[in-house]
């Protein structure tokens, strides 16, 4: 009977040498990529078609799905998001407006989409995000559209009605709320957060902190900052806010809905490029008469379009008149959507294609 051969394990010194060599190779390859993206950006500015080298989402998703090893897909996405963000900013500094302040969920979503090498610009209101794009001071903006627990974000729909910029991307972010404080949970007398976050944790608060006074504030990050300054005050905010402000985690994942997701729209001046896995958003208003809405909605059925989102929104100053926001599977360049657009333009009194963009899955 033959003896089993033992596998020789590398020594710690050999392992360290191998890791150091890989680190040097990685740094050199990242620099080579940055140089190529700089050339691609210059070619694009000169009118050449090189979008495939510059558009990041599809490439990152493909790398995450095909990668095999100890790192899960989400970690691969995060690593390549930062590499791509840094390479892109060597050629042209990207400015992105988001609903601030920093360490809010909007800030977290902006990092998820653009990476931290982009210049992320916090502004005070959703309207201000739209204004930054319209004035040309930022190339992109990021605004919340809907939450799986609380529904639509009224301020965002109102701005699309007033200033219909293009949706060119989306971020679906799983929202995990933390109870943050300087004191122990037993000493908490007041809990601050924005109304939506408080609403998403109302059952947990009623069960675990029934005596605490619930107070509304403008943002989750502002609540976290307040919790650092006042005794007995806690905040409902993100993990990132807790780490940044040095707060204790009195409880984590306190959202009532474990599948709590907020969807953000990336807005700019152009639609996203066709990827083969897209959605298209539209906004329209019909005449205020019997059957007008049914006639418009039948157009989607005739063209075999699957709607993924529909919202009604009252027209400002109107008398029981509504705008309708819809999303469907497919890109606006596809024939069946072009037919739908042509038919809706005839059946509506106001119509806007808000943009096409790649479908994204929720991320933590």
């Amino acid at each position: 009977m033959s003896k089993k051969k033992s596998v020789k394990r590398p020594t710690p010194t050999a392992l360290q040498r191998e890791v150091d060599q890989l680190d040097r190779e990685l740094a050199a390859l990242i620099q080579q990529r940055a140089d190529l993206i700089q050339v691609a950006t210059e070619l694009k500015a000169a009118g050449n078609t090189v979008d495939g080298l510059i558009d990041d989402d599809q490439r990152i998703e493909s790398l995450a799905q095909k990668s095999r090893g100890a790192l899960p897909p989400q970690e691969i996405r995060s690593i390549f998001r930062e590499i791509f963000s840094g390479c892109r900013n060597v050629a042209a500094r990207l400015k992105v407006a988001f609903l601030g302040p920093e360490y809010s969920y909007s800030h977290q979503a902006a990092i998820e989409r653009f990476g931290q090498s982009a210049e992320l610009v916090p502004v005070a209101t959703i309207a201000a995000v739209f204004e930054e794009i319209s004035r040309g001071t930022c190339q992109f903006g990021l605004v919340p559209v809907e939450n799986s627990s609380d529904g639509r974000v009224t301020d965002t729909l109102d701005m699309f009605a007033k200033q219909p910029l293009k949706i060119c991307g989306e971020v679906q972010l799983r929202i995990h709320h933390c109870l943050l404080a300087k004191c122990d949970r037993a000493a908490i007398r007041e809990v601050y957060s924005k109304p939506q976050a408080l609403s998403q944790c109302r059952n947990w608060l009623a069960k675990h902190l029934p005596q605490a006074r619930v107070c509304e504030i403008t943002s989750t990050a502002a609540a976290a900052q307040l919790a650092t300054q006042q005794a007995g005050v806690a905040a409902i905010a993100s993990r990132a806010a807790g780490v940044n402000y040095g707060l204790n985690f009195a409880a984590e994942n306190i959202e009532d809905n474990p599948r709590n997701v907020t969807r953000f729209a990336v807005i700019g001046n152009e639609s996203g490029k066709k990827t083969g896995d897209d959605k298209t958003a539209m906004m329209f208003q019909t005449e205020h008469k019997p059957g007008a809405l049914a006639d418009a909605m039948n157009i989607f059925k005739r063209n075999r379009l699957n709607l993924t989102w529909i919202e009604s929104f009252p027209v400002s100053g109107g008398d029981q008149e509504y705008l309708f926001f819809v999303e469907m599977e497919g890109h606006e360049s596809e024939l069946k959507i072009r037919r739908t657009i042509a038919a809706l333009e005839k059946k509506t009194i106001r119509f806007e294609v808000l943009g096409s963009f790649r479908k994204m899955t929720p991320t933590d």
Side-chain angles (χ1 to χ4, degrees), residues 22-217:
L22 284 171
D23 287 344
R24 287 192 293 270
E25 291 174 5
L26 282 170
L29 288 170
I30 290 169
Q31 292 289 7
Q32 288 178 34
R33 189 185 193 281
D35 292 341
L36 291 173
I37 294 303
Q38 187 166 15
V39 173
T41 304
E42 292 167 358
L43 287 172
K44 185 176 181 180
N48 295 278
T49 305
V50 290
D51 289 335
L53 287 175
I54 297 172
D55 294 339
D56 293 346
D57 279 344
Q58 196 169 2
R59 299 171 68 82
I60 289 173
E61 189 60 29
S62 177
L63 288 164
Q65 294 304 323
K66 291 178 181 177
S67 177
R68 297 291 180 268
L71 286 175
Q74 181 56 35
E75 295 294 339
I76 296 292
R77 288 190 194 96
S78 297
I79 290 166
F80 274 97
R81 177 69 68 199
E82 293 304 326
I83 291 172
F84 283 23
S85 177
C87 291
R88 184 179 55 237
N89 283 305
V90 168
R93 186 71 171 169
L94 189 65
K95 292 185 70 174
V96 182
F98 69 94
L99 179 62
E102 292 182 329
Y103 310 107
S104 64
Y105 291 106
S106 290
H107 185 214
Q108 191 174 329
I111 292 171
E112 172 65 28
R113 174 61 182 82
F114 294 99
Q116 297 189 76
S117 293
E119 185 177 346
L120 304 178
V121 182
V123 296
T125 64
I126 287 173
V129 177
F130 279 75
E131 287 299 325
E132 291 289 330
I133 310 303
S134 297
R135 290 199 301 264
T137 51
C138 290
Q139 294 100 314
F140 297 102
L142 188 133
V143 290
V145 175
E146 65 171 341
N147 176 267
S148 56
S149 298
D150 290 335
R152 69 188 185 186
V153 178
T154 302
D155 288 351
T156 297
L157 299 191
D158 185 46
M159 285 309 302
F160 275 122
K162 295 174 180 175
Q163 206 169 337
L165 296 174
K166 292 293 185 181
I167 301 175
C168 52
E170 72 171 359
V171 178
Q172 296 199 45
L173 189 68
R174 296 191 193 279
I175 305 298
H176 299 297
H177 293 304
C178 299
L179 184 70
L180 308 171
K182 283 288 189 184
C183 58
D184 293 333
R185 191 194 298 184
I188 294 172
R189 298 290 176 262
E190 295 179 326
V191 178
Y192 282 80
S193 197
K194 67 186 299 183
Q196 293 87 343
L198 293 171
S199 171
Q200 291 161 23
C201 303
R202 67 170 76 88
N203 293 335
W204 190 96
L205 290 170
K207 181 178 179 180
H208 297 281
L209 289 173
Q211 304 305 317
R213 188 166 71 96
V214 174
C215 309
E216 295 183 359
I217 199 168

Side-chain angles (χ1 to χ4, degrees), residues 36 72 89 94 100 145 150 195 215 232 261 265 271 288 299 305 314 316 354 361:
L36 291 173
N89 283 305
L94 189 65
V145 175
D150 290 335
C215 309
V261 174
S271 283
H288 191 42
I299 294 169
L305 288 170
S316 179
L354 294 178
T361 55

Side-chain angles (χ1 to χ4, degrees), residues 280-299:
T280 297
M282 299 176 183
M283 174 182 72
F284 63 85
Q285 181 182 353
T286 61
E287 291 185 78
H288 191 42
K289 67 179 185 180
L293 177 59
D295 289 343
M297 297 305 293
N298 193 46
I299 294 169

Side-chain angles (χ1 to χ4, degrees), residues 5-21:
K5 289 185 179 179
S6 60
V7 178
K8 187 177 180 181
R9 295 175 63 84
T11 65
T13 302
L15 279 173
Q16 186 64 57
R17 279 200 304 266
E18 190 171 352
V19 169
D20 289 345
Q21 177 63 28

Side-chain angles (χ1 to χ4, degrees), residues 227-238:
T228 68
Q229 300 166 351
Q230 296 186 21
V233 168
I236 294 176
S238 68

